[in-house]
Amino acid sequence: MRMNQLTEEIPHLDTFKRYGKIHRVVGLMIESKGPEASVGEVCIIHSSPKKGQQILAEVVGFHNENVLLMPYSEITDIAPGCLVESTGDPLQIKIGRGIIGQVIDSLGRPLYEDMQLPKGLEMYPTDQSPPNPLSRPRIHEPIQVGVRLIDTLLTVGKGQRIGIFAGSGVGKSTLMGMIARNSGADINVIALIGERGREVKEFIEKDLGPEGLKKSIVVVATSDQPALMRIKGAYTATAISEYFRDLGFNVNLMMDSVTRVAMAQREVGLATGEPPTTKGYTPSVFAILPKLLERTGTNHLGTITAFYTVLVDGDDLNEPISDTVRGILDGHFVLDRKLAEQGQFPAVNILKSISRVMKQITSTQHQEAANELRSMLATYEENQELIQIGAYKKGTSRDVDQAIQYHPSIISFLKQGTEEEVKHDEAVSQLLKLVGRGE
């Protein structure tokens, strides 16, 4: 039966290869006359015969019946009249269990020069649609993050999506490394998007470490790479997470940073002629963010717990990307520069941070203890100036007296060394003991 179907299809096959020709190059954009291709398809640009190289590019739009392409690599070898061939497919990467422990680029190629991808991998498209909202199971189980203040006061559930908001140099990478090493997830997928080249190896060897790398897949797209490679780095990491989620794994996806993905999309949008709107960001930026971020979460097979870092320009939490991402995700952790300057690490500002699913996944006793600690911390902060200048008299307020008494213990509880590992149950027990609710 199958053979008969194939035989019937043979007369309808198109055996011709159709090419286009480079018409012009302006900035990041390559314009060609043909070939027939749709938006999102990968094309091969054949450089001059002397060079004999093939450059991959993606169709991003059309102009006056010409095809607009963005390259995945440098375009120094492209000349007028170079042939453009359509592959007929969107970007696909090789994926399988064999890539665990590997460091790859946005196209799924290993970054270590002496490394080869193992055999037995399958092709998997990087661009997927978010799952049907009614097919997503509710989040009902906590996941161990391995950071005491998060596990106790900002408890994360399996399949939750969290934003880590911070300015530069406040400890985002260090916090991500702690989560990768100490988390209860089966696999970590870490996307380093728009990072400085120097920081990549530093993160892998120092923050992640050999133990963390054993159960991780690192996707790297440095700041010097074309905008499309930085965007595809985010899509590739998300696709890898989806693949392992569909195998039944609990996956941690950590992306540093979603802001640089938005900046790369802004470059593409401006190059294709989109108008700049909010603070120079084009409309397509605010269109792709929900599509990308909604791909993670739960399905009936497994979970993707996602941590997206957001680089806050000038520590302004209300700038356009921060505001948009905060509205899409299921919670946010705010890293405070003031706390970092005081030597409190992780520098998470508990009072400005929230986990929107914590009430669904924690016991009543745990919630009451967390609220009590938050209340004491807020009371101390409100009266901090009076306390520091000695204007507050002991006995004036019972709540303030309690906040002053507990404050050193609370700060000690919130601090955690980068190498210190704390289990989820152990952290909750420490919280209950601190506020006098434990045994």
Side-chain angles (χ1 to χ4, degrees):
M1 187 68 181
R2 178 71 177 153
M3 196 65 187
N4 290 338
Q5 288 177 340
L6 291 173
T7 308
E8 289 172 7
E9 288 294 326
I10 289 173
H12 304 290
L13 290 175
D14 185 358
T15 56
F16 289 94
K17 277 191 176 182
R18 289 176 173 79
Y19 294 90
K21 278 192 175 183
I22 297 294
H23 176 54
R24 68 171 186 161
V25 176
V26 180
L28 306 172
M29 192 62 58
I30 302 167
E31 196 170 320
S32 73
K33 291 186 179 295
E36 289 183 12
S38 57
V39 172
E41 277 187 25
V42 176
C43 291
I44 300 169
I45 301 174
H46 299 271
S47 63
S48 58
K50 290 181 181 178
K51 301 284 185 181
Q53 291 184 342
Q54 294 183 343
I55 297 165
L56 292 180
E58 185 174 306
V59 179
V60 293
F62 306 97
H63 177 67
N64 292 339
E65 299 186 5
N66 288 343
V67 180
L68 301 180
L69 300 157
M70 290 282 285
Y72 288 135
S73 58
E74 296 301 326
I75 56 174
T76 49
D77 296 331
I78 293 177
C82 285
L83 296 179
V84 182
E85 177 189 354
S86 174
T87 62
D89 295 309
L91 179 64
Q92 296 186 338
I93 56 166
K94 289 183 177 179
I95 192 168
R97 298 188 190 213
I99 65 169
I100 298 173
Q102 297 266 12
V103 182
I104 60 176
D105 68 5
S106 302
L107 305 181
R109 302 173 301 200
L111 276 186
Y112 287 114
E113 293 177 358
D114 57 339
M115 292 285 285
Q116 295 290 329
L117 288 177
K119 294 181 180 179
L121 304 179
E122 60 182 279
M123 299 303 290
Y124 195 81
T126 60
D127 199 355
Q128 305 274 350
S129 298
N132 185 322
L134 295 182
S135 70
R136 293 177 183 267
R138 290 179 59 188
I139 297 169
H140 54 80
E141 189 181 349
I143 187 170
Q144 175 182 299
V145 174
V147 179
R148 183 166 45 228
L149 67 85
I150 294 175
D151 281 336
T152 53
L153 304 173
L154 300 164
T155 312
V156 176
K158 288 181 180 177
Q160 188 174 353
R161 299 159 306 146
I162 291 289
I164 301 174
F165 293 75
S168 55
V170 188
K172 295 190 302 298
S173 298
T174 305
L175 179 59
M176 283 177 60
M178 288 175 71
I179 294 171
R181 290 194 307 272
N182 303 335
S183 167
D186 303 317
I187 295 171
N188 299 310
V189 180
I190 303 169
L192 302 177
I193 311 297
E195 286 286 332
R196 304 175 190 91
R198 172 188 64 81
E199 290 182 333
V200 173
K201 196 167 186 180
E202 191 175 295
F203 174 82
I204 293 168
E205 294 183 356
K206 179 188 167 191
D207 296 324
L208 189 59
E211 286 302 310
L213 187 58
K214 279 181 186 176
K215 66 168 188 174
S216 301
I217 301 158
V218 184
V219 181
V220 178
T222 50
S223 57
D224 59 294
Q225 293 183 340
L228 203 59
M229 282 290 273
R230 283 174 268 147
I231 297 168
K232 290 300 170 185
Y235 280 73
T236 295
T238 307
I240 292 170
S241 304
E242 289 168 324
Y243 174 85
F244 284 104
R245 174 181 64 185
D246 292 344
L247 291 180
F249 288 96
N250 293 313
V251 183
N252 263 2
L253 169 64
M254 287 172 274
M255 190 178 294
D256 185 13
S257 72
V258 73
T259 308
R260 293 193 177 108
V261 177
M263 289 177 173
Q265 181 60 37
R266 177 173 62 182
E267 286 181 43
V268 174
L270 291 172
T272 53
E274 282 189 75
T277 51
T278 313
K279 285 200 173 179
Y281 288 101
T282 56
S284 63
V285 174
F286 302 102
I288 72 154
L289 283 176
K291 287 181 182 177
L292 176 65
L293 304 182
E294 285 288 348
R295 285 170 61 181
T296 54
T298 59
N299 73 3
H300 64 285
L301 296 169
T303 64
I304 302 173
T305 309
F307 298 88
Y308 299 99
T309 69
V310 181
L311 188 61
V312 183
D313 290 336
D315 294 336
D316 176 17
L317 289 169
N318 296 316
E319 57 96 27
I321 300 303
S322 303
D323 213 29
T324 303
V325 171
R326 189 167 56 240
I328 297 168
L329 300 179
D330 309 318
H332 52 272
F333 303 161
V334 177
L335 301 191
D336 196 325
R337 191 175 299 279
K338 186 179 176 184
L339 296 178
E341 289 168 352
Q342 293 171 356
Q344 182 179 321
F345 290 100
V348 179
N349 188 322
I350 298 299
L351 302 178
K352 291 182 180 178
S353 306
I354 191 169
S355 169
R356 289 188 181 134
V357 303
M358 182 174 173
K359 287 185 179 179
Q360 303 171 26
I361 57 175
T362 53
S363 65
T364 305
Q365 186 185 28
H366 181 174
Q367 291 170 33
E368 288 173 352
N371 289 337
E372 193 173 333
L373 191 146
R374 274 177 176 270
S375 178
M376 287 191 285
L377 204 56
T379 302
Y380 187 89
E381 196 165 291
E382 284 173 13
N383 297 276
Q384 190 171 12
E385 289 184 6
L386 291 174
I387 296 166
Q388 287 180 340
I389 65 174
Y392 174 77
K393 291 184 180 179
K394 190 177 180 181
T396 306
S397 167
R398 183 182 172 186
D399 290 343
V400 178
D401 288 344
Q402 186 185 33
I404 293 170
Q405 179 189 345
Y406 277 89
H407 191 256
S409 302
I410 291 171
I411 298 302
S412 177
F413 175 80
L414 297 178
K415 287 183 178 180
Q416 184 175 336
T418 54
E419 301 299 325
E420 184 183 351
E421 186 177 349
V422 183
K423 301 293 183 186
H424 183 274
D425 294 340
E426 182 187 340
V428 174
S429 298
Q430 289 176 8
L431 170 67
L432 295 173
K433 188 177 179 182
L434 174 62
V435 298
R437 291 175 181 267
E439 296 179 0

